[in-house]
Amino acid sequence: MTRVNPSHLLIELEHVLESDPLIDEVGFVHPSQFLVLNGDQPQTKNISEMPSGSDANASGNFWNRDHKLGISIGVLLPLYNAAKQAFMEAVERYKKELKEEYGEDSVSASFFNSLDCLENDVMKHSRALLLLSSDFGTAWNSRKQIVSKKQQLAMFVDELHLSKLILSYSPKSERAWSHRRWAIKIISRKFVNLQEIVEEESELVKGLAERSKMNYRAWNHRCWLVSYMSRGQILHELRKSKDWAGLNVADSSCFHYRARLLLWLLDHVGNCNQDANFGVELYLVWKEELNWVEGLIKRYIGREALWLHRRFLSVCWINHFATLSLNAPGQDIDKSLLTHDTDIFISNELQLFQSCTVIPDNNFEDYKAQATYAATYIMWLMKQVPEFPKVEASKLNILLKELCPEKSTIWDGLISLCGNI
Amino acid sequence: MGELVVEKHTKYIVTVEKSKDSFESVVMEHLRLNGAYWGLTTLDIMGKLDVVDQDEVVSWIMQCQHESGGFGGNIGHDPHLLYTLSAIQVLGLFNKTDVLDIDKVANYIAGLQNADGSFNGDIWGEVDTRFSYIAICSLALLRRLDKINVEKAVEYIVSCKNVDGGFGCTPGAESHAGQIFCCVGALAITGSLDRVDKDLLGWWLCERQLKSGGLNGRPEKLADVCYSWWVLSSLIMIDRVHWIDKDKLIKFILDCQDKEKGGISDRPDDAVDVFHTYFGVAGLSLLEYPGLKPVDPAYALPVDVVNRIFFSK
Ligand SMILES: [Zn+2]
């Protein structure tokens, strides 16, 4: 590779970012892929053809089309070093200037000019640096400092855009997510209602979760939004995330998100006296969720996430609805719903367990996993639900040791929690 | 079963610290203080701390401290609780906590507590139970727990407990082994373990062990050496470690070693790093692997270091 001047690389990158502010995706690309990318569609611009008049663009280390940016992995190290140095110098000058000038009695016009200049530099270099090192906290912080000083909606929105861009290549970046929440909190306090943002954020997480499975930070962001949602939005989110969950049955983060939404409804059903139907509605939502998960369990054999979601649904069902139907005679609940009492529920779960312990000859491993999850599901209910009969714990122990002798230690430990053996 | 290649790991830790020739290594420089904690604690557990120049490390650490009392991840980087704990821990390893202005550091940490008992990571306001652990662990090591409202801190952590018995980063967040370690560790240090449903949490934790013997950090995830630490230390603190198969876990960790160049990876045949090398060795120590110093599961430091801190005058 030809040696390039690192500071020219940085200028080039910053030029690309400035000339295409709508870039929404960035990736690190092997030099050989540049030929492919360019050969793809020879007429569209690669950076060297951009109308800048500067030779700095001719290095062929960047690729930009349709608001996508590619950076050659061959230049990452010198580019990072240049960006870091430029940023650290700018932020140091900026902080020094702030300290010195505010210490004096009169603040001159030239101070504001030079401060504006320094702020621009910090914003420009921190953006380039964060594209290369997404968890560089000091760079995010310097942006927070400048943006909070200006208090302009457009600038906060720009921060959301930058954070989204960085999440496009680094979807687990802790700092990018937390910067996002910081900006959203201020936007909602000062400018618009957060409920308007919720929808957009939810879509963002959905998109990222598609490419980055079981991403704790992404789903945590969506969970964080829940406390800002209205009841209508909660129900809407429940409907919306259902199809995705059905297609991604191993993503237990998505099922936790559903559990979070359902718990929100459960927490709010009590203090909603003006709306008696809410209780009935939630009862039906819960029942539907139980049926839906049972269907998924039977279709997708041996998925831990589904069984864990069922544990959650079942224990809440017993604690809140099986008793609700008895304790709330004044409520206008259809009599047919009352048939779903604890006894019927328990016998249904035992039946589900039985049906899942049948192991056909093919697909041996998946069915063994299924039977194992079914057995631990029943044991878990025996521990967590006082009404649940302490059925044949010793038989469950034998079954588990047959299915998965590798985990005998665990089975002995767990069975000791399930009442008398 | 292979053995722990102590000499190779020692060499790996010493050389990896010096390498600045790849993007992957320089791009971690913002958390170099965490890296120092991982590397140096590993060396101490293996009885090899004397291979490093103490004075050089201590003087570098002190250059990472700010006016506020907090530490940045490296020189010139903004302060954050994440690096402040590492600074205190590394100084503890060297028996050098007396170079600190204890009250200044303690005031920085205490100043980040919120009215609901939770902690911000820095002045910008992100809240996480990890920061609760860091604040409590740091202040305990500095013997300044009286500077915060411990009762409220405990209440906040308890409010992050889930139906499955685990804990997440904020109330309602998904259970995660790393967060569970933080919550259980903080509750252990403050003498509040009675607030944990030990059987239920122990259940969730021991279900993290997979057939390979390795542990994962959440359902449906692959086994990963770092969870040997988080899951295992939590199980020890709640007295349920006999529910997992220790021998198989030892074998899993040893299989993740690079036996030629040293270092431990997240799972067999992956690339090694200091982070997983630390969690592998610390995990082996918790499993009473021969030749290693015992580690305290709550403070994440060798037991002799913790004793020295608490029993010195
Ligand atoms: Zn790991």
Side-chain angles (χ1 to χ4, degrees):
Chain A
M1 191 185 44
T2 48
R3 283 193 65 83
V4 269
N5 185 329
S7 60
H8 288 176
L9 281 172
L10 180 62
I11 292 169
E12 195 177 344
L13 172 62
E14 288 172 346
H15 175 77
V16 178
L17 292 171
E18 238 158 82
S19 51
D20 184 1
L22 296 178
I23 290 178
D24 58 9
E25 213 178 315
V26 62
F28 300 152
V29 186
H30 192 270
S32 66
Q33 282 176 286
F34 272 81
L35 295 172
V36 182
L37 286 170
N38 289 329
D40 210 30
Q41 225 174 315
Q43 290 315 316
T44 48
K45 62 182 177 189
N46 88 24
I47 305 300
S48 55
E49 292 155 20
M50 282 176 49
S52 73
S54 158
D55 277 336
N57 283 334
S59 73
N61 292 306
F62 301 95
W63 177 91
N64 171 219
R65 188 197 296 159
D66 305 331
H67 308 305
K68 314 285 174 221
L69 169 65
I71 303 175
S72 164
I73 56 167
V75 297
L76 285 179
L77 182 59
L79 185 57
Y80 168 83
N81 284 331
K84 190 202 131 189
Q85 197 188 348
F87 166 73
M88 290 303 235
E89 279 169 16
V91 87
E92 196 180 325
R93 279 206 312 277
Y94 174 61
K95 284 181 178 166
K96 209 168 133 205
E97 185 84 4
L98 272 183
K99 218 185 244 174
E100 278 176 7
E101 292 289 334
Y102 279 135
E104 287 173 17
D105 290 339
S106 65
V107 178
S108 63
S110 71
F111 160 67
F112 282 114
N113 284 337
S114 71
L115 201 63
D116 264 354
C117 243
L118 284 171
E119 281 168 353
N120 276 340
D121 280 355
V122 171
M123 293 301 275
K124 188 170 72 179
H125 297 319
S126 61
R127 180 190 300 263
L129 178 58
L130 287 167
L131 277 184
L132 303 160
S133 177
S134 62
D135 280 323
F136 203 110
T138 308
W140 286 114
N141 293 346
S142 67
R143 302 183 70 84
K144 290 192 185 85
Q145 189 179 0
I146 290 168
V147 173
S148 15
K149 202 168 129 239
K150 305 262 172 183
Q151 291 293 331
Q152 294 164 4
L153 178 59
M155 288 188 85
F156 288 106
V157 173
D158 276 351
E159 293 311 293
L160 289 183
H161 184 77
L162 177 65
S163 138
K164 186 177 176 181
L165 172 61
I166 283 163
L167 290 169
S168 76
Y169 87 90
S170 181
K172 292 182 177 173
S173 170
E174 183 185 341
R175 299 288 179 144
W177 283 113
S178 110
H179 192 71
R180 197 162 190 88
R181 279 188 289 276
W182 171 83
I184 289 173
K185 277 189 259 180
I186 295 176
I187 291 173
S188 71
R189 239 188 350 250
K190 305 236 171 201
F191 305 102
V192 288
N193 193 325
L194 191 55
Q195 296 205 0
E196 293 164 30
I197 303 177
V198 163
E199 184 92 359
E200 230 173 282
E201 291 301 298
S202 211
E203 280 301 310
L204 170 76
V205 173
K206 192 181 153 205
L208 289 172
E210 193 64 52
R211 281 178 287 158
S212 160
K213 293 288 154 66
M214 287 189 275
N215 180 334
Y216 187 79
R217 298 203 183 284
W219 285 100
N220 184 47
H221 185 73
R222 212 168 176 182
C223 280
W224 171 75
L225 296 166
V226 169
S227 54
Y228 295 93
M229 289 180 192
S230 64
R231 196 173 107 199
Q233 275 177 315
I234 298 272
L235 290 166
H236 179 62
E237 283 291 311
L238 264 178
R239 278 192 298 276
K240 236 176 47 176
S241 61
K242 195 168 184 172
D243 289 342
W244 199 91
L247 293 169
N248 296 273
V249 292
D251 203 318
S252 71
S253 296
C254 180
F255 289 98
H256 175 82
Y257 178 59
R258 296 186 66 77
R260 173 98 173 90
L261 294 167
L262 289 165
L263 277 179
W264 187 97
L265 294 172
L266 207 53
D267 287 344
H268 289 74
V269 78
N271 47 29
C272 206
N273 300 327
Q274 72 278 29
D275 186 359
N277 286 330
F278 186 16
V280 181
E281 192 183 355
L282 181 55
Y283 180 96
L284 291 171
V285 165
W286 216 278
K287 202 174 122 187
E288 191 188 320
E289 185 86 356
L290 273 164
N291 289 338
W292 173 65
V293 168
E294 183 168 343
L296 291 178
I297 282 176
K298 289 174 174 166
R299 183 143 35 110
Y300 300 99
I301 306 299
R303 297 283 25 143
E304 185 180 18
L306 296 175
W307 285 100
L308 295 190
H309 191 49
R310 192 161 190 85
R311 285 185 192 175
F312 161 79
L313 293 172
S314 297
V315 83
C316 293
W317 176 266
I318 298 257
N319 290 340
H320 296 278
F321 297 103
T323 47
L324 172 90
S325 57
L326 302 170
N327 294 343
Q331 282 200 359
D332 193 18
I333 291 178
D334 191 316
K335 280 269 180 261
S336 65
L337 295 176
L338 291 175
T339 54
H340 267 272
D341 63 2
T342 310
D343 289 344
I344 290 180
F345 175 77
I346 288 171
S347 80
N348 182 68
E349 299 316 289
L350 288 171
Q351 223 167 9
L352 175 65
F353 159 69
Q354 288 299 344
S355 72
C356 292
T357 50
V358 182
I359 299 174
D361 292 336
N362 56 343
N363 260 333
F364 198 58
E365 283 305 319
D366 286 347
Y367 280 88
K368 263 167 69 171
Q370 177 90 324
T372 308
Y373 293 130
T376 51
Y377 168 68
I378 293 296
M379 283 160 56
W380 199 83
L381 291 182
M382 281 161 67
K383 176 184 177 321
Q384 287 303 92
V385 180
E387 295 90 340
F388 210 89
K390 308 283 180 272
V391 282
E392 310 183 13
S394 58
K395 275 194 185 166
L396 285 174
N397 194 12
I398 293 167
L399 174 69
L400 283 168
K401 283 183 177 170
E402 257 173 40
L403 290 165
C404 186
E406 297 93 337
K407 295 193 188 177
S408 296
T409 327
I410 299 177
W411 309 139
D412 287 337
L414 297 185
I415 211 74
S416 68
L417 304 176
C418 302
N420 300 326
I421 300 182
Chain B
M1 190 192 301
E3 286 190 348
L4 185 70
V5 290
V6 171
E7 295 303 329
K8 295 268 167 79
H9 296 322
T10 307
K11 198 168 157 236
Y12 166 73
I13 290 167
V14 173
T15 46
V16 79
E17 170 42 39
K18 306 258 183 277
S19 71
K20 301 251 183 303
D21 53 356
S22 75
F23 176 63
E24 287 72 20
S25 60
V26 295
V27 86
M28 304 296 279
E29 67 182 322
H30 61 276
L31 45 78
R32 187 161 175 242
L33 199 32
N34 291 149
Y37 161 72
W38 296 322
L40 295 168
T41 309
T42 310
L43 291 176
D44 197 19
I45 294 171
M46 299 190 303
K48 300 285 182 191
L49 194 56
D50 51 4
V51 302
V52 293
D53 181 343
Q54 280 197 30
D55 295 338
E56 194 186 324
V57 178
V58 171
S59 105
W60 167 72
I61 287 180
M62 294 313 288
Q63 290 178 69
C64 297
Q65 192 177 23
H66 286 251
E67 260 322 292
S68 61
F71 287 80
N74 206 334
I75 297 170
H77 290 247
D78 287 355
H80 195 286
L81 281 183
L82 284 166
Y83 315 115
T84 304
L85 173 61
S86 286
I88 296 168
Q89 286 171 317
V90 173
L91 292 172
L93 289 176
F94 292 132
N95 198 14
K96 282 279 171 60
T97 32
D98 55 357
V99 303
L100 287 174
D101 179 343
I102 302 272
D103 282 310
K104 191 174 177 179
V105 183
N107 288 337
Y108 167 77
I109 298 167
L112 292 169
Q113 188 171 31
N114 296 307
D116 64 358
S118 66
F119 281 84
N120 297 338
D122 62 12
I123 56 167
W124 298 107
E126 181 79 353
V127 169
D128 192 311
T129 46
R130 282 182 306 160
F131 308 147
S132 298
Y133 166 75
I134 289 173
I136 286 169
C137 184
S138 300
L139 290 173
L141 291 170
L142 297 174
R143 297 196 284 186
R144 291 292 187 282
L145 265 179
D146 57 313
K147 293 219 184 233
I148 56 164
N149 187 331
V150 172
E151 202 179 318
K152 282 209 154 173
V154 168
E155 282 315 316
Y156 181 77
I157 292 169
V158 171
S159 76
C160 297
K161 186 154 67 174
N162 287 318
V163 176
D164 58 20
F167 294 83
C169 52
T170 49
E174 186 186 0
S175 297
H176 180 295
Q179 306 288 155
I180 290 172
F181 160 76
C182 289
C183 292
V184 174
L187 295 175
I189 291 170
T190 54
S192 319
L193 280 176
D194 57 311
R195 306 297 298 274
V196 179
D197 182 339
K198 292 177 186 166
D199 285 336
L200 191 61
L201 175 59
W203 188 311
W204 191 92
L205 287 168
C206 77
E207 283 187 320
R208 301 301 109 237
Q209 189 164 38
L210 306 179
K211 282 184 185 175
S212 64
L215 300 163
N216 64 14
R218 280 184 290 147
E220 302 269 10
K221 299 276 281 185
L222 296 170
D224 181 330
V225 161
C226 56
Y227 295 105
S228 310
W229 169 266
W230 286 313
V231 174
L232 200 56
S233 57
S234 304
L235 281 169
I236 291 173
M237 288 187 272
I238 62 168
D239 196 22
R240 296 294 183 277
V241 74
H242 50 284
W243 287 354
I244 60 158
D245 190 327
K246 293 189 195 177
D247 293 335
K248 292 192 81 161
L249 179 55
I250 290 174
K251 186 180 174 324
F252 178 82
I253 298 174
L254 291 174
D255 284 346
C256 294
Q257 301 180 94
D258 182 331
K259 288 194 175 162
E260 273 156 42
K261 296 190 184 125
I264 298 176
S265 56
D266 55 355
R267 57 192 71 97
D269 301 323
D270 276 1
V272 303
D273 59 63
V274 181
F275 178 80
H276 288 94
T277 305
Y278 161 67
F279 286 112
V281 172
L284 288 172
S285 161
L286 289 178
L287 292 160
E288 298 167 71
Y289 188 87
L292 298 177
K293 275 195 193 181
V295 167
D296 184 286
Y299 292 101
L301 284 171
V303 171
D304 64 343
V305 172
V306 176
N307 287 343
R308 193 169 62 203
I309 289 169
F310 289 125
F311 298 120
S312 65
K313 61 164 180 59

